[in-house]
Amino acid sequence: GIQVEQSPPDLILQEGANSTLRCNFSDSVNNLQWFHQNPWGQLINLFYIPSGTKQNGRLSATTVATERYSLLYISSSQTTDSGVYFCAVVNTDKLIFGTGTRLQVFP
Amino acid sequence: DGGITQSPKYLFRKEGQNVTLSCEQNLNHDAMYWYRQDPGQGLRLIYYSQIVNDFQKGDIAEGYSVSREKKESFPLTVTSAQKNPTAFYLCASSYRGHFGGEQFFGPGTRLTVL
């Protein structure tokens, strides 16, 4: 089955710093989503982005489907950005989650 | 407000008991899903339903059962046959089935077996 790998596994930042999270997948995908799981466990939708680039405030995402990767950019990070970031892809018939990137932002 | 609700937020169960987790959505979505998350891990699919009165097993369906009698509701029963049920359970829904649409998640239920 399709493999979804995220890097880095852990990221520690000071407030105000920028970061790039990467998601690599081993086969073609029909759709791709980025989620933020907050410390209470809630999964928050960030982007639905099977291809191209989208921006939402301080966050933006780019998916290059032909090269099988997606990037999530976080600019001017805030402590509320802390949590785990997951990408998830649909290959044939189910949503496959990546391994996650745990982000900690300190004041 | 439109969204997905799950109840209860926390659930404690004795070994050998069945428990039912509730999931309700008012987004008018056709498809609904149940996932399990263990500490430090990603999500794994338990069951999904693309339409009322129909559902399919996911990757880890053993020890679980579901029903889909109404479009808005997709309850999950964790039976005594589930050998390690302590986990975080998340319900999701999407407008389109076959995983083709964007999925939205509820706040989750933390189940602990005592």
Side-chain angles (χ1 to χ4, degrees), chain B residues 17-18 25-26 32 35 38 43 46 50 56 67 69 72 75-76 81 89 98:
Chain B
Q17 288 181 336
N18 293 355
Q25 55 98 1
N26 61 5
M32 297 186 73
Y35 294 88
D38 293 287
L43 278 67
I46 305 173
Q50 297 172 17
Q56 289 80 38
S67 63
E69 298 177 1
E72 302 79 19
L76 174 75
Y89 291 87
H98 290 286

Side-chain angles (χ1 to χ4, degrees), chain A residues 31 33 37 45 48 93-94, chain B residues 37 59 99-100 102-103 107:
Chain A
N31 75 49
Q33 291 186 244
Q37 188 166 39
N45 288 44
Y48 175 71
D93 62 350
K94 53 188 163 186
Chain B
Q37 186 178 32
D59 296 321
F99 300 85
E102 185 176 5
Q103 288 192 27

Side-chain angles (χ1 to χ4, degrees), chain A residues 8 17 19 32 36 54 56 77 82 106:
Chain A
S19 60
L32 185 147
H36 173 212
K54 290 186 178 179
N56 184 2
S77 57
S82 296
F106 291 96

